[in-house]
Amino acid sequence: MKQRLFGTDGLRGQGNIFPMTPEIALRLGLAAGQYFRNGDKHHRVVIGKDTRLSGYVFETALTSGLCANGMDVFLVGPLPTPAISFLTRNMRADLGVVISASHNPFMDNGIKFFDRNGFKLPDEVEDEISELVLGDDTKWDYPAAEDVGRAHRIGDAPGRYIVYLKNSFSPHLTLDGLKIVLDCAHGAAYGVAPCVLEELGAEVVTVGVTPDGLNINQKCGSLYPEVIARMVVEEGADLGIALDGDADRLIVCDENGRILDGDQIMALCALELMEKNRLPGNMLVATVMSNMALELFMKDHGGRLLRTDVGDRYVVEAMRREGATLGGEQSGHLIFMDHSTTGDGLLAALQLLRIMRERDRPLSELAGLLEPFPQVLRNVHVKRKIPFDQAPLVQEAVRKVEAALEGKGRVLLRYSGTEAVCRVMVEGPDTDLVEKYTGDIVEACEKHLK
């Protein structure tokens, strides 16, 4: 099997350890430049990043490789991943590059690409680029000296993105009178997110807006929603918004501090769109990780849930194929295809705020639509990602649990696309039993996969 550089969401790993090394980033820039330039001169590339210290390293290495292969590079600095998708389209660029490890800790970093239409690259294109990067005999098609690319820093990129987000909010509405707690995870949205909400009229209480290169996602952001839940109650706020390091995820809490995940937000937004006859085919797209309660909710309201593999790129691919306009993940990636080509935490928050404003009701009254089934997710660190059908102890444990659930729950095993981890998920009607069943499968995984 050929080695792949890319996982479910681009290239990712710990900084200065393969594959996240300056050498690989340089070769990645050369390979992407060669692939997208395709013999022509001076195609455009937009590069953005989050606030990790190692971002400087990979920004410089990528820029060098891209310019060397004849691409003009536009550097926009720290901005959310969806901002790079937007700017790639807005600037008529041929490629967008994001340097970020999303919700991971600061020592990790990653690189992902968007095509000229703002969509993540398909597997086959990533594979071709991987072959160029990893090939011992790769011949770089360097242009003549006068045809190498130039690098430019674009100072107005944040303003462009802010205007785009504000235009996604209904023009006849404002956020006047709303008090919002906003957690930017010391990440890429620390500058633009408060501006968007304040310019729309909200009073914003911020947390996680002082990045130092080392504190991104550190006990804050969408992985730690209890931070906004506590602050909302303390501040008497109307809503809490938590983004992750690259701001493509959204988790919220209502005015009582009740936390809502991506499934619960999707249920609210899908129902609102169905009531307005604005959800094509009454279809919502989500992944295999979404709670069974979401599937039953859609069915009960005359809609249907289409499931995909884990990863927002696969959600987007299914949405494009099926003509769907709403999709996402339980983790908080939410895609509103009428506005964006990728998950955008802040844009999703604005759609939620629009519904609150149009109905003039607090989030607590709108969000009680979905009571998730008890769900337990455990990670097992593994040495090798053995196919599950070649792990008889694991298969037997799964069979026993599925028989005990009697069709009233689910078992899901999958390997992480970015880490040496097996994810074990069990859903069912009883919390204690779900915990026990998960433990049984985890024990089998630890015996067979470690």
Side-chain angles (χ1 to χ4, degrees):
M1 181 182 292
K2 293 182 180 179
Q3 184 177 8
R4 291 196 85 240
L5 275 176
F6 298 92
T8 55
D9 196 20
L11 176 67
R12 192 174 297 181
Q14 189 167 334
N16 282 345
I17 296 176
F18 182 87
M20 286 306 299
T21 63
E23 178 187 9
I24 291 295
L26 174 63
R27 291 178 67 86
L28 196 56
L30 287 167
Q34 187 155 303
Y35 183 91
F36 285 94
R37 179 171 58 87
N38 195 26
D40 295 332
K41 296 180 181 179
H42 297 293
H43 285 231
R44 293 183 169 197
V45 184
V46 176
I47 298 182
K49 60 182 180 179
D50 64 23
T51 57
R52 292 162 215 272
L53 184 61
S54 61
Y56 294 102
V57 174
F58 299 112
E59 180 184 55
T60 302
L62 282 163
T63 299
S64 181
L66 287 160
C67 287
N69 230 329
M71 303 285 276
D72 286 335
V73 175
F74 294 83
L75 301 164
V76 301
L79 277 178
T81 287
I84 309 310
S85 172
F86 159 71
L87 288 166
T88 302
R89 305 189 309 271
N90 183 256
M91 296 177 63
R92 308 298 193 271
D94 301 279
L95 182 66
V97 186
V98 178
I99 303 165
S100 172
S102 189
H103 57 282
N104 287 25
F106 86 91
M107 66 284 294
D108 292 345
N109 216 327
I111 299 168
K112 49 192 167 186
F113 295 104
F114 290 104
D115 67 18
R116 64 175 60 200
N117 296 312
F119 292 105
K120 291 178 180 177
L121 302 184
D123 288 344
E124 55 269 23
V125 175
E126 290 185 340
D127 287 344
E128 289 189 51
I129 293 173
S130 292
E131 287 183 26
L132 290 171
V133 174
L134 299 173
D136 293 331
D137 57 352
T138 298
K139 303 296 183 185
W140 302 116
D141 182 23
Y142 290 118
E146 64 271 19
D147 291 327
V148 299
R150 301 173 185 268
H152 314 263
R153 289 211 172 266
I154 306 298
D156 68 345
R160 297 188 191 200
Y161 181 56
I162 289 170
V163 170
Y164 155 75
L165 286 174
K166 288 166 61 180
N167 285 338
S168 74
F169 192 70
S170 297
H172 64 281
L173 298 174
T174 74
L175 299 180
D176 291 351
L178 282 184
K179 187 175 185 179
I180 299 173
V181 173
L182 171 67
D183 186 346
C184 295
H186 300 299
Y190 78 97
V192 294
C195 286
V196 170
L197 297 175
E198 287 171 353
E199 289 182 16
L200 287 172
E203 177 186 352
V204 182
V205 179
T206 56
V207 61
V209 292
T210 54
D212 61 10
L214 307 178
N215 60 359
I216 188 171
N217 299 313
Q218 189 175 42
K219 295 186 178 179
C220 58
S222 63
L223 290 183
Y224 297 89
E226 60 272 15
V227 174
I228 57 167
R230 183 184 66 252
M231 290 185 64
V232 162
V233 174
E234 291 174 353
E235 295 283 342
D238 300 284
L239 177 75
I241 294 172
L243 307 172
D244 67 333
D246 69 335
D248 64 354
R249 291 189 184 195
L250 170 71
I251 300 294
V252 302
C253 73
D254 66 19
E255 72 277 11
N256 300 315
R258 182 194 177 204
I259 295 167
L260 305 176
D261 65 13
D263 285 348
Q264 292 164 300
I265 299 170
M266 282 191 285
L268 194 163
C269 294
L271 181 61
E272 191 260 351
L273 289 171
M274 283 192 288
E275 289 174 348
K276 291 183 174 180
N277 293 317
R278 288 178 49 202
L279 191 67
N282 282 349
M283 179 192 295
L284 174 65
V285 181
T287 76
V288 292
M289 294 300 292
S290 277
N291 200 281
M292 277 188 72
L294 181 61
E295 191 168 336
L296 296 175
F297 171 86
M298 290 299 294
K299 184 177 180 180
D300 289 345
H301 288 85
R304 68 187 180 102
L305 181 70
L306 175 66
R307 291 186 183 270
T308 74
D309 290 339
V310 174
D312 66 317
R313 62 181 295 179
Y314 301 118
V315 173
V316 170
E317 286 174 7
M319 292 174 69
R320 296 177 72 185
R321 184 177 65 248
E322 301 291 335
T325 58
L326 179 62
E329 295 188 280
Q330 184 186 62
S331 61
H333 288 123
L334 302 168
I335 301 106
F336 292 81
M337 196 69 84
D338 286 341
H339 299 286
S340 180
T341 55
T342 192
D344 189 327
L346 194 50
L347 188 147
L350 291 176
Q351 296 309 302
L352 191 60
L353 286 161
R354 174 186 59 78
I355 297 171
M356 290 174 60
R357 277 315 212 191
E358 286 181 347
R359 302 199 172 185
D360 194 24
R361 293 169 64 190
L363 185 56
S364 62
E365 293 183 15
L366 296 170
L369 301 172
L370 192 70
E371 191 59 45
F373 282 28
Q375 183 185 81
V376 176
L377 177 64
R378 297 267 297 277
N379 292 333
V380 180
H381 290 276
V382 299
K383 289 183 179 179
R384 294 183 301 130
K385 296 181 179 180
I386 303 169
F388 294 119
D389 59 6
Q390 298 176 21
L393 287 177
V394 176
Q395 289 293 302
E396 179 61 22
V398 171
R399 278 194 293 270
K400 287 182 178 179
V401 169
E402 288 179 335
L405 287 170
E406 299 179 329
K408 299 176 183 177
R410 289 194 306 149
V411 176
L412 179 66
L413 295 184
R414 72 177 186 91
Y415 289 113
S416 168
T418 58
E419 302 172 89
V421 162
C422 169
R423 305 201 194 281
V424 180
M425 190 272 283
V426 180
E427 280 180 351
D430 183 276
T431 302
D432 292 338
L433 284 176
V434 168
E435 287 277 5
K436 178 188 179 300
Y437 295 152
T438 306
D440 293 344
I441 298 174
V442 165
E443 184 178 348
C445 290
E446 289 176 337
K447 287 180 179 178
H448 202 105
L449 303 179
K450 280 199 168 185

